[in-house]
């Protein structure tokens, strides 16, 4: 059997170590995947290591999210000198923008995740045409699961009263979720965790939470929890738990796969916002 080496940086290919069958939704057992940014890692500010350059040099395909998420990647690829094809999983998706920055968190809409799957399938087929049939069948099965998941998100949001469909998260990671499913997200930090919230940003959020009676604030697995705890303490908005925005967890965590992540997030949102 031919095996491809693949480097994945994105939530859909998940973080090692996780259950192989669940992780390789499209590649199945025909692909070896190595992930550079591990469980609970922050791809915005990741600092690549020399070992990462060696992994890139060995890879046949490098799958990236795109939209500026992995700003450190071009230099890493250059220093690796590898011949791997770079595949952008968000190709074909119209980006949301915040000022001049593209919002990279496109996977937070399940419809966009389906585009990622199509791009990954096509890249794998091009890299290993002998396995095309398996890749296409795997992708089709996974796309059907994503359709079911999209329906679950819509059914969950319907349970939340319209006036309570607004929350605070730490950084602007849920713009695509908001646009797709109609829940408003407000965040003190922008589309990258590289920046920090200023005192003025935080004061603005506190005013907004009070004025709009935003019922809940959420922690993120990739962000410092202190900011959200302070906003909660000053406004009385309850901390609704953790949302998984950018990164999956290790196998025993709440969100070891993409589907687990979306399910966890809708459960956290409905628990905090319904009634
Ligand atoms: Zn992010």
């Amino acid at each position: 059997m031919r095996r491809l080496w693949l480097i994945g940086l994105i939530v859909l290919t998940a973080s090692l170590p996780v259950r192989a069958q669940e992780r390789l939704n499209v590649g199945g057992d025909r692909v070896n995947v190595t992930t550079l940014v591990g469980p609970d890692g922050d791809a915005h500010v990741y600092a690549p290591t020399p070992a990462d350059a060696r992994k890139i040099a060995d890879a046949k395909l490098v799958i990236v999210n795109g939209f500026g998420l992995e700003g450190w990647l071009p230099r890493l690829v250059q220093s690796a000198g590898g011949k791997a094809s770079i595949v952008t999983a968000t190709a074909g998706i119209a980006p949301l923008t915040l000022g001049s920055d593209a919002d990279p968190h496109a996977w937070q809409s399940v419809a966009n995740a389906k585009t990622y799957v199509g791009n990954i399938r096509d890249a794998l087929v091009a890299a290993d045409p002998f396995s095309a049939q398996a890749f296409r069948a795997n992708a089709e099965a996974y796309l059907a699961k994503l359709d079911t998941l999209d329906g679950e998100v819509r059914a969950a949001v319907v349970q939340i009263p319209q006036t309570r469909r607004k929350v605070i998260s730490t950084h602007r990671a849920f713009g695509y979720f908001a646009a797709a499913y109609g829940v408003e997200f407000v965040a003190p930090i922008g589309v990258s965790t590289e920046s920090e919230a200023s005192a003025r940003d935080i004061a603005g959020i506190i005013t907004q939470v009070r004025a709009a009676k935003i019922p809940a604030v959420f922690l993120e697995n990739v962000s410092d929890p202190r900011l959200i705890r302070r906003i909660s303490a000053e406004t009385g908005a309850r901390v609704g738990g953790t949302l998984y925005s950018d990164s999956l967890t290790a196998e025993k965590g709440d969100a070891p796969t993409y589907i687990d992540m979306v399910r966890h997030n809708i459960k956290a949102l409905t628990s905090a916002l319904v009634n």
Side-chain angles (χ1 to χ4, degrees):
M1 184 186 302
R2 294 158 61 94
R3 290 176 80 85
L4 290 173
W5 283 93
L6 181 74
I7 303 283
L9 299 166
I10 58 170
V11 289
L12 282 176
T13 50
S15 312
L16 294 172
V18 292
R19 295 180 294 276
Q21 300 91 314
E22 288 211 20
R23 177 161 44 81
L24 300 178
N25 292 300
V26 184
D29 59 4
R30 289 161 192 261
V31 178
N32 290 313
V33 176
T34 300
T35 307
L36 298 185
V37 183
D40 298 310
D42 184 346
H44 294 290
V45 294
Y46 183 69
T49 64
D52 291 336
R54 285 194 293 278
K55 290 175 191 165
I56 295 261
D58 286 342
K60 184 158 184 189
L61 281 183
V62 178
I63 297 189
V64 303
N65 181 77
F67 291 160
L69 177 66
E70 309 99 334
W72 42 271
L73 188 91
R75 205 175 345 155
L76 177 65
V77 169
Q78 201 180 12
S79 73
K83 295 171 187 67
S85 319
I86 310 287
V87 176
T88 303
T90 49
I93 295 171
L96 297 176
T97 53
L98 182 68
S100 57
D101 296 327
D103 178 347
H105 309 88
W107 61 84
Q108 289 293 350
S109 144
V110 178
N112 287 344
K114 291 175 64 182
T115 300
Y116 284 46
V117 171
N119 287 332
I120 291 168
R121 174 200 60 211
D122 295 347
L124 292 177
V125 167
D128 180 9
F130 294 98
S131 301
Q133 210 180 348
F135 294 145
R136 291 201 178 102
N138 291 346
E140 200 180 350
Y142 189 58
L143 288 169
K145 288 185 193 171
L146 293 182
D147 280 332
T148 304
L149 183 68
D150 190 65
E152 287 173 31
V153 179
R154 289 174 195 285
V157 171
V158 165
Q159 293 174 43
I160 305 170
Q162 196 106 42
T163 54
R164 292 176 62 85
R165 291 181 195 168
K166 46 196 173 188
V167 298
I168 303 287
S169 65
T170 313
H171 81 295
R172 289 180 67 107
F174 293 94
Y176 294 88
F177 186 96
Y181 305 113
V183 176
E184 187 187 341
F185 279 79
V186 179
I189 299 176
V191 293
S192 172
T193 54
E194 269 173 305
S195 59
E196 277 180 34
S198 68
R200 205 170 135 208
D201 296 333
I202 298 166
I205 290 277
I206 287 169
T207 307
Q208 205 173 346
V209 171
R210 289 185 180 136
K213 298 189 170 60
I214 294 178
V217 296
F218 286 87
L219 309 173
E220 287 171 4
N221 63 325
V222 297
S223 298
D224 186 335
R226 286 174 298 187
L227 179 56
I228 287 297
R229 296 209 184 277
R230 183 178 149 198
I231 293 168
S232 169
E234 293 202 21
T235 61
R238 102 163 85 145
V239 177
T242 298
L243 294 177
Y244 292 89
S245 57
D246 296 30
S247 184
L248 301 177
T249 63
E251 191 178 349
K252 291 207 163 71
D254 288 329
T257 70
Y258 175 74
I259 289 176
D260 290 333
M261 177 191 84
V262 174
R263 284 195 178 133
H264 171 88
N265 286 349
I266 55 176
K267 206 168 135 197
L269 289 170
T270 50
S271 301
L273 301 176
V274 171
N275 73 54

